[in-house]
């Protein structure tokens, strides 16, 4: 049912069918919780509804994270754990069923990791999860799907970012801790992984280092600055040059539009007076051109289905933010940026508050909180009489999701495995490859 319900969003001949179908799907999800139904299919259904939620007039009404928690955390049902998806599949399963179980667990791991990155928290699933740690070559098994290679790559990208976050937390009190160097090293590791989502996560890591570097004498040739700009522009270029031409961008998950909007917003904020000195005229021009091109893409009818669709919302947000910081167009080239008249305009339905969103990444400066805040990830900076700024992704998400109920902050490793039999990988299993373990 969730597959048909999600697909009906794009059935233009009967636009009213979508909300009705999703209501049926949500009712079915609720009944599954009540009667205790547990299966791989039900777990997949919750994940699908979590990443393709019903558009709401207000972000505060969105409960997609709740569905994700049902599938992963086990607050209501320890579904994935009770199904033992985190363990190598039983011998009694067919080869196809084994693949389906492992694929579902790896998707759970990725959704949890992505959610944690967005909210600036540690993942709820363990970093030392065996299937995740040993999944790099899983896609090479027989009967896997062509896209499984991307799933395996994404799992290891999530692990790298989670390790970065864990190091940030563990070293927060150390006076010798060099955040910028850690960010650059982590970004270098990520650059060796598959492109696409990697560019976005490289930017997430680099902005943490940039946040610290900008408080010192940051120059135009600074590595952290140049690599941040490169990663952000790459995120936009991937969507504009690789995804948009396929004609399938309208079917993308909302998270994809979050990624590219965060990249564009980061670039736009480099145009504010206190940071503009870091950019030469050519870079300023390229930023404006890239962002205007992205705004035009997000606002086209081939991408945004209606005013509630995520790309339309970010189109309005980026348009307002760019209007606030738009510099004089450089005269280094005869080509001019896309005109404002080419940007699609959608009526506001209250989901975004323009006055507050265009202030991102500005924050209120609390001296006492700032002095006692030991988390380098959320540290703000104050320059030349301007308000503080927090360029982190988590602050971006909080700004966009005003009034959104932030999920409870889990401890670094929530033991959601307690109700399931632990898999003992000591002894002979520890040295076995994933392919060997698969067939034991």
């Amino acid at each position: 049912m969730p597959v048909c319900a999600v697909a009906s969003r794009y059935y233009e001949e009967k636009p009213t069918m979508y909300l009705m179908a999703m209501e049926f799907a949500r009712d079915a999800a609720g009944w599954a919780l009540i009667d205790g139904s547990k299966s791989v299919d039900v777990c997949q259904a919750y994940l699908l509804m979590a990443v393709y939620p019903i558009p709401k007039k207000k972000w505060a009404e969105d409960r997609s994270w709740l569905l994700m928690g049902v599938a992963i955390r086990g607050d209501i049902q320890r579904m994935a754990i009770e199904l033992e998806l985190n363990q190598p599949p039983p011998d009694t399963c067919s080869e196809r069923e084994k693949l389906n179980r492992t694929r579902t667990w790896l998707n759970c791991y990725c959704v949890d990791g992505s959610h944690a990155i967005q909210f600036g928290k540690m993942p709820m699933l363990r970093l030392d999860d065996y299937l995740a740690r040993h999944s790099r070559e899983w896609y090479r098994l027989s009967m896997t799907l062509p896209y499984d290679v991307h799933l395996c790559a994404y799992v290891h990208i999530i692990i790298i970012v989670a390790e970065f976050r864990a190091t940030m937390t563990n070293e927060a009190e150390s006076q010798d801790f060099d955040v910028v160097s850690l960010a650059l090293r982590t970004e270098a590791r990520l650059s060796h992984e598959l492109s696409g989502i990697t560019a976005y996560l490289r930017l997430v890591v680099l902005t943490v280092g940039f946040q610290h570097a900008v408080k010192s004498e940051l120059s135009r040739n600074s590595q952290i600055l140049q690599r941040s700009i490169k990663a952000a522009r790459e995120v936009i270029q991937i969507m504009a040059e690789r995804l948009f031409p396929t004609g399938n961008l309208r079917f993308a998950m909302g998270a994809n539009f979050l990624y590219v909007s965060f990249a564009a917003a980061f670039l736009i904020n480099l145009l504010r007076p206190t940071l503009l000195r870091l950019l030469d005229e050519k870079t300023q021009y390229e930023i404006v051109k890239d962002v205007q091109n992205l705004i035009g893409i997000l606002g086209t009818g081939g991408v945004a289905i209606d005013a509630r669709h995520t790309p339309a919302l970010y189109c309005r947000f980026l348009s307002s933010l760019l209007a606030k910081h738009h510099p004089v167009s450089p005269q280094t080239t005869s080509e001019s940026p896309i005109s404002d008249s080419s940007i699609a305009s959608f009526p506001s339905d209250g989901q975004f508050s323009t006055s507050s969103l265009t202030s991102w990444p500005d924050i209120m400066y609390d001296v006492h909180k700032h002095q006692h805040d030991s988390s380098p990830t959320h540290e703000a900076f104050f320059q030349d009489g301007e308000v503080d700024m927090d360029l982190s992704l988590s602050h971006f998400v909080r700004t966009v999701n005003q009034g959104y109920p932030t999920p409870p902050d889990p401890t670094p490793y929530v033991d959601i495995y307690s109700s399931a039999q632990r898999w003992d990988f000591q002894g002979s299993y520890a040295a076995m490859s994933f392919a060997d373990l698969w067939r034991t």
Side-chain angles (χ1 to χ4, degrees), residues 321-432:
L321 194 63
L322 183 60
K324 179 180 179 181
H325 299 299
H326 197 305
V328 177
S329 298
Q331 302 300 319
T332 57
T333 176
S334 58
E335 184 181 3
S336 60
I338 301 172
S339 63
D340 292 339
S341 61
S342 68
I343 300 175
S345 176
F346 287 91
S348 175
D349 57 8
Q351 190 157 1
F352 280 124
S353 172
T354 304
S355 60
S356 57
L357 283 180
T358 53
S359 67
W360 183 86
D362 301 344
I363 60 175
M364 297 298 293
Y365 187 67
D366 187 334
V367 176
H368 299 289
K369 181 179 179 181
H370 187 68
Q371 288 176 343
H372 294 87
D373 185 4
S374 61
S375 173
T377 303
H378 299 102
E379 192 169 348
F381 61 85
F382 190 78
Q383 281 192 331
D384 302 331
E386 265 207 1
V387 294
D388 284 349
M389 291 187 288
D390 183 350
L391 291 166
S392 67
L393 174 65
S394 57
H395 179 56
F396 180 81
V397 172
R398 286 195 301 271
T399 303
V400 172
N401 300 347
Q402 292 179 79
Y404 184 83
T406 303
D409 190 1
T411 55
Y413 299 107
V414 178
D415 188 7
I416 60 176
Y417 297 78
S418 57
S419 66
Q421 181 181 359
R422 292 182 181 273
W423 189 271
D424 184 6
F425 293 110
Q426 303 298 322
S428 60
Y429 285 114
M432 297 178 68

Side-chain angles (χ1 to χ4, degrees), residues 30-43:
W31 281 110
L33 291 177
I34 293 173
D35 62 25
S37 299
K38 296 189 295 291
S39 70
V40 176
D41 293 342
V42 173
C43 189

Side-chain angles (χ1 to χ4, degrees), residues 164-165 168 171-172 174-175 177-183 204-218 222 224-225 228 266 277 370 373-383 389-392:
F164 167 78
R165 175 75 185 181
M168 291 284 296
E171 300 293 333
S174 175
Q175 295 182 349
F177 180 44
D178 190 339
V179 177
V180 177
S181 295
L182 175 63
V204 171
V205 169
L206 289 169
T207 53
V208 176
F210 180 86
Q211 188 86 36
H212 287 256
V214 78
K215 293 180 293 184
S216 59
E217 292 298 323
L218 191 63
S222 169
I224 193 71
L225 171 65
S228 296
F266 171 78
R277 61 182 175 78
H370 187 68
D373 185 4
S374 61
S375 173
T377 303
H378 299 102
E379 192 169 348
F381 61 85
F382 190 78
Q383 281 192 331
M389 291 187 288
D390 183 350
L391 291 166
S392 67

Side-chain angles (χ1 to χ4, degrees), residues 93-385:
C93 295
S94 66
E95 195 74 10
R96 189 177 299 277
E97 186 179 356
K98 289 180 180 180
L99 292 171
N100 191 39
R101 288 173 60 90
T102 302
R103 185 181 295 111
T104 302
W105 177 254
L106 295 181
N107 272 286
C108 285
Y109 195 89
C110 290
V111 172
D112 174 49
S114 176
H115 182 266
I117 292 169
Q118 290 178 31
F119 283 92
K121 302 178 183 296
M122 286 298 296
M124 290 177 281
L125 297 181
R126 297 163 56 134
L127 285 177
D128 60 350
D129 180 81
Y130 185 85
L131 293 188
R133 286 281 182 181
H134 293 77
S135 64
R136 182 174 286 277
E137 302 297 323
W138 174 77
Y139 71 94
R140 296 182 182 276
L141 295 174
S142 62
M143 298 180 66
T144 52
L145 303 175
Y147 293 107
D148 284 336
V149 62
H150 299 280
L151 176 60
C152 293
Y154 193 21
V155 168
H156 286 274
I157 291 169
I158 291 292
I159 290 174
I160 291 173
V161 177
E163 289 174 344
F164 167 78
R165 175 75 185 181
T167 303
M168 291 284 296
T169 302
N170 295 335
E171 300 293 333
E173 301 295 335
S174 175
Q175 295 182 349
D176 299 327
F177 180 44
D178 190 339
V179 177
V180 177
S181 295
L182 175 63
L184 291 173
R185 291 196 305 271
T186 304
E187 190 267 344
R189 290 180 63 192
L190 289 170
S191 65
H192 295 297
E193 302 293 336
L194 287 180
S195 60
I197 188 69
T198 312
Y200 152 69
L201 291 177
R202 280 166 46 211
L203 177 63
V204 171
V205 169
L206 289 169
T207 53
V208 176
F210 180 86
Q211 188 86 36
H212 287 256
V214 78
K215 293 180 293 184
S216 59
E217 292 298 323
L218 191 63
S219 67
R220 289 184 177 182
N221 297 323
S222 169
Q223 273 197 70
I224 193 71
L225 171 65
Q226 293 301 319
R227 284 160 73 168
S228 296
I229 294 175
K230 180 181 179 181
R233 294 191 64 201
E234 187 177 332
V235 174
I236 296 175
Q237 289 164 2
I238 288 172
M239 178 164 285
E241 299 173 9
R242 289 166 50 182
L243 301 181
F244 177 59
T246 66
N248 296 323
L249 194 53
R250 67 188 320 201
F251 308 116
M253 296 181 294
N256 293 101
F257 301 109
L258 167 66
Y259 304 157
V260 73
S261 298
F262 172 67
F266 171 78
L267 291 174
I268 292 173
N269 275 281
L270 294 179
L271 303 174
R272 61 171 60 210
T274 53
L275 299 177
L276 192 60
R277 61 182 175 78
L278 299 174
L279 309 176
D280 56 34
E281 287 192 345
K282 183 175 182 295
T283 303
Q284 293 175 38
Y285 172 81
E286 290 172 343
I287 287 175
V288 173
K289 183 178 179 181
D290 284 349
V291 173
Q292 286 185 330
N293 185 37
L294 174 65
I295 291 172
I297 289 173
L298 296 179
T300 60
V303 175
I305 299 174
D306 52 40
R308 283 189 178 185
H309 198 194
T310 305
L313 302 175
Y314 283 120
C315 173
R316 290 199 299 270
F317 163 51
L318 293 176
S319 297
S320 300
L321 194 63
L322 183 60
K324 179 180 179 181
H325 299 299
H326 197 305
V328 177
S329 298
Q331 302 300 319
T332 57
T333 176
S334 58
E335 184 181 3
S336 60
I338 301 172
S339 63
D340 292 339
S341 61
S342 68
I343 300 175
S345 176
F346 287 91
S348 175
D349 57 8
Q351 190 157 1
F352 280 124
S353 172
T354 304
S355 60
S356 57
L357 283 180
T358 53
S359 67
W360 183 86
D362 301 344
I363 60 175
M364 297 298 293
Y365 187 67
D366 187 334
V367 176
H368 299 289
K369 181 179 179 181
H370 187 68
Q371 288 176 343
H372 294 87
D373 185 4
S374 61
S375 173
T377 303
H378 299 102
E379 192 169 348
F381 61 85
F382 190 78
Q383 281 192 331
D384 302 331

